[in-house]
Amino acid sequence: MNVVKPVKSVDDLVMAGLVAPADRRALEEVAARYAIALTPAITRLIDRADPDDPIARQFVPDAAELTVLPEERADPIGDQAHSPVEGIVHRYPDRVLLKAVHVCPVYCRFCFRREMVGPQGLGTLDAAAMQAAFDYIRGHEEIWEVILTGGDPLVLSPRRLREIMEALAEIAHVRIVRFHTRVPVVDPNKIDDALIAALKASGKTVYVALHANHVRELTAEARAACARLVDAGIAMVSQSVLLKGVNDDPDVLAALMKAFVEIRVKPYYLHHPDLAPGTGHFRLTIEEGQRIVAALRGRISGLCQPTYILDIPGGYGKTVVSGSTVQARGDGCYSVSDYRGDEHSYPPVG
């Protein structure tokens, strides 16, 4: 199918043949809560003949999103508990998140910030809020790395990105700038000379963390976009989410990780799904995830091994999902140790 425009509504989904007209009413309820957007690049990837298509599962809304479980929460990893000023999350001593924008070119149905992103979300930081964010970074000399996330920071124009990078260039203690994005996969033509020049405007070391969950997302166009970034001297790492019905199979996951390495993207994080509202149909158990990740050992190169992590609900940070940090209890929950050595319950108990 030759798709030339983004899909942004239930009507668009029906017109594109991605959902049945009979499902319209339930999906309108989903759309009233959570944003919908698919780029032409993603819409073209979806196999409409496959009811279990892993690309569709990630981006096409599902009535299952209306089921909210008791343990799910609007801010599952506790961003707001660590937000000293608008747009900044300072959870770890040496790095901060800078959430300059809260819109994305696509909206993942499992998104852990789904209550915050989209047209109905927190919006883009205005000039005053952006200046306050830079002032905070400037005033905290322990901040070594700034991670632009959101929303997807690469939806911003090269001019806006250059302004951000030039502001960070003036802060000597910031040495690393990292961008978390799906753009090279979902809108690869946007990765052009102007955008790359903007990313490099600060003179800092720049990393791009590419989010992809299935090897089919790494099309020839996506691979070329990544090559443009890497050839320009921008290092790339990956982040993926372990998702039921998408990549919860050692062979599928291995193919993705090997493809990352082939295109010079170092596998970095494999996230256990967060407790975002309406995402229970994507989540595996901890034990299932551990078995899948363990199966990667020995079957693919060490270059291809991601770190399997859990973001502890409540804002306590990430922990590696190993036997030493995540242990089953008798009540159906787990005892999870954070990076400080403190223990927490997962899922949280009432």
Side-chain angles (χ1 to χ4, degrees), residues 34 57 64-69 72-73 76 108-114 243-244 273-284:
Y34 308 117
R57 185 163 172 82
E65 295 174 52
L66 298 173
T67 300
V68 178
L69 303 176
E72 294 175 342
R73 49 178 70 186
C108 306
R109 309 322 304 170
F110 51 87
C111 178
F112 67 96
R113 292 195 178 112
R114 64 195 327 227
L243 299 167
K244 185 181 293 185
D274 294 307
L275 296 172
T279 62
H281 54 298
F282 286 108
R283 284 197 297 278
L284 300 83

Side-chain angles (χ1 to χ4, degrees), residues 238 253-254 256-262 265-269 293-308:
S238 77
L253 202 58
L256 174 63
M257 297 302 154
K258 290 171 73 172
F260 280 140
V261 172
E262 290 167 6
V265 175
K266 178 65 181 79
Y268 182 40
Y269 277 157
V293 173
L296 295 180
R297 293 289 173 189
R299 84 169 58 193
I300 55 176
S301 165
L303 287 172
C304 304
Q305 303 289 340
T307 300
Y308 181 32

Side-chain angles (χ1 to χ4, degrees), residues 78-196:
D79 277 356
Q80 293 174 357
H82 295 279
S83 184
V85 298
E86 185 181 2
I88 291 287
V89 178
H90 195 174
R91 179 178 288 108
Y92 301 102
D94 72 337
R95 55 205 182 274
V96 295
L97 304 183
L98 174 56
K99 299 195 287 186
V101 62
H102 287 85
V103 295
C104 300
V106 294
Y107 291 104
C108 306
R109 309 322 304 170
F110 51 87
C111 178
F112 67 96
R113 292 195 178 112
R114 64 195 327 227
E115 299 277 357
M116 307 173 194
V117 300
Q120 79 281 29
L122 299 179
T124 300
L125 295 188
D126 60 24
M130 188 67 78
Q131 187 57 53
F134 290 137
D135 288 344
Y136 180 87
I137 296 168
R138 191 176 295 109
H140 289 262
E141 294 189 0
E142 72 274 21
I143 296 173
W144 173 80
E145 180 181 23
V146 174
I147 303 166
L148 281 105
T149 182
D152 193 317
L154 295 195
V155 301
L156 295 170
S157 68
R159 178 186 63 81
R160 291 289 306 280
L161 289 168
R162 180 177 289 275
E163 289 172 354
I164 291 170
M165 296 302 281
E166 288 177 344
L168 293 174
E170 298 176 355
I171 305 175
H173 56 265
V174 172
R175 307 300 295 273
I176 309 294
V177 182
R178 191 193 330 166
F179 291 84
H180 280 224
T181 184
R182 266 195 177 274
V183 166
V185 163
V186 305
D187 192 7
N189 291 334
K190 195 173 192 304
I191 307 299
D192 58 14
D193 291 345
L195 184 144
I196 291 169

